[in-house]
Amino acid sequence: MTLLPFPDAVHVRAPGKINVYLGVGDRHDDGYHALATVFQAVSLYEDVIARPSDDFSIVVKGAVDPASVPLDDRNLAMRAAKLLATATGHDGGVALELRKSVPVAGGMGGGSADAAAALLACDALWGTGLSSARLHELATRLGADVPFALHGGTAVGTGRGDQLNPALARGRFDWVLVTSDEGLSTPVIYQRLDEQRARGEALADDPPLSLDVPIPVLQALRAGDPHSLAACMHNDLESPALEERPVLEEIIREGLGAGALSGIVSGSGPTVAFLCDTPESARYVQDQLEAQGREALHVHGPVSGARILSA
Ligand code: ATP
């Protein structure tokens, strides 16, 4: 019997994220804004299956509109696989299957999770055996949220969001996510923020002089106290997201009315994340929102980053 040197398929799972705090600074010349953010990985996952192939291809499955996900080099998972091949000199390809659960263009980093999962899956499939430091470096080149999808947990992100430091978080936080069928474009939301700031609108915070995650956010996470965290959650992108999609304000009111401790737009939206007291109160908030015709999911965090389920 001949043993196969490499697996027939590698299955990797990577989480979506919410930003429990997101401070946006000035826009740099490279187009990126300086960020101070706290990511938390939550139990809504992307599954990526990598199979050997001579060339590169992607199929998309899951509860998302397949037409909204590019299948060519614009797909972050495709870019991840090709970047790894170039970086390691691997000359084969890969057939990637993306089973998506994270809403597309939902502000939850679904594409970044796919990229992180594809990096890990191809590394195992091809036997390229990169160190975590090298994988992190490639992830940074793919996009600001990709390193976090590799690491998971709860982390402070600075720079473009890609310079990560783990944050201590005790226990579990229960979140209800209200998703939208139609996504929001991240670049458009940043542009709206710049416009709001240029107009000097009171709604949008001025770029902060020093970009730091406030200490109370880190203390609340460390204490595992949803009440304290609810009091200091903040997102500078919320104001432009609400301007672009006014119904989000209504959704936030509904969740708070149902008993959520706090509601915040996740990243650039349009997903709204409600922090709840207990798993039971989260189920109640989810039921109430569904009764009002919203698509609501109960998830928890923090969860681990991209990991191999089978190879
Ligand atoms: P961002 O990480 O930029 O804040 P997001 O989390 O709001 O984005 P994503 O679902 O990651 O949203 O994708 C944003 C856009 O990127 C999509 O509209 C799509 O055109 C493109 N895209 C590229 N690769 C993927 C992928 N693997 N899955 C979904 N969208 C992708």
Side-chain angles (χ1 to χ4, degrees), residues 50-282:
R51 298 186 177 87
S53 174
D54 289 338
D55 37 42
F56 291 83
S57 63
I58 290 196
V59 292
V60 174
K61 297 186 175 167
V64 297
D65 174 7
S68 61
V69 182
L71 301 179
D72 53 17
D73 284 353
R74 288 168 300 163
N75 193 301
L76 270 181
M78 179 74 95
R79 297 233 294 269
K82 288 190 175 174
L83 179 64
L84 181 69
T86 308
T88 58
H90 180 79
D91 63 3
V94 64
L96 292 171
E97 178 182 326
L98 312 185
R99 296 184 190 160
K100 294 189 67 72
S101 300
V102 175
V104 176
M108 290 193 64
S112 301
D114 294 341
L119 270 183
L120 209 57
C122 292
D123 185 51
L125 185 75
W126 297 337
T128 39
L130 293 194
S131 66
S132 10
R134 189 88 174 93
L135 285 171
H136 179 101
E137 192 250 313
L138 294 184
T140 302
R141 283 156 62 182
L142 288 162
D145 291 349
V146 184
F148 178 71
L150 267 183
H151 293 271
T154 306
V156 173
T158 50
R160 299 183 307 156
D162 54 342
Q163 290 164 25
L164 293 180
N165 277 300
L168 279 179
R170 187 185 311 219
R172 116 180 197 150
F173 292 88
D174 283 273
W175 300 94
V176 173
L177 306 174
V178 173
T179 61
S180 304
D181 288 341
E182 205 187 329
L184 280 175
S185 151
T186 305
V188 166
I189 296 303
Y190 274 99
Q191 197 185 322
R192 289 273 172 281
L193 177 70
D194 291 340
E195 287 163 9
Q196 288 186 341
R197 285 176 170 170
R199 292 197 301 263
E201 282 186 6
L203 269 178
D205 294 344
D206 285 334
L209 289 176
S210 83
L211 258 190
D212 284 318
V213 172
I215 302 288
V217 176
L218 301 176
Q219 283 172 335
L221 288 163
R222 205 175 314 140
D225 178 0
H227 290 267
S228 312
L229 184 60
C232 53
M233 279 161 43
H234 173 78
N235 179 3
D236 276 345
L237 295 179
E238 183 159 293
S239 171
L242 296 181
E243 182 179 89
E244 194 70 14
R245 191 67 67 76
V247 69
L248 298 181
E249 214 154 351
E250 209 176 295
I251 292 172
I252 292 175
R253 266 199 309 275
E254 289 170 5
L256 296 178
L261 300 176
S262 182
I264 194 169
V265 168
S266 175
S268 52
T271 305
V272 178
F274 291 101
L275 181 57
C276 298
D277 200 4
T278 59
E280 294 70 34
S281 70

Side-chain angles (χ1 to χ4, degrees), residues 27 33 54 106 115 120 259 289 311:
R27 188 173 179 279
H33 289 76
D54 289 338
L120 209 57
L289 286 163

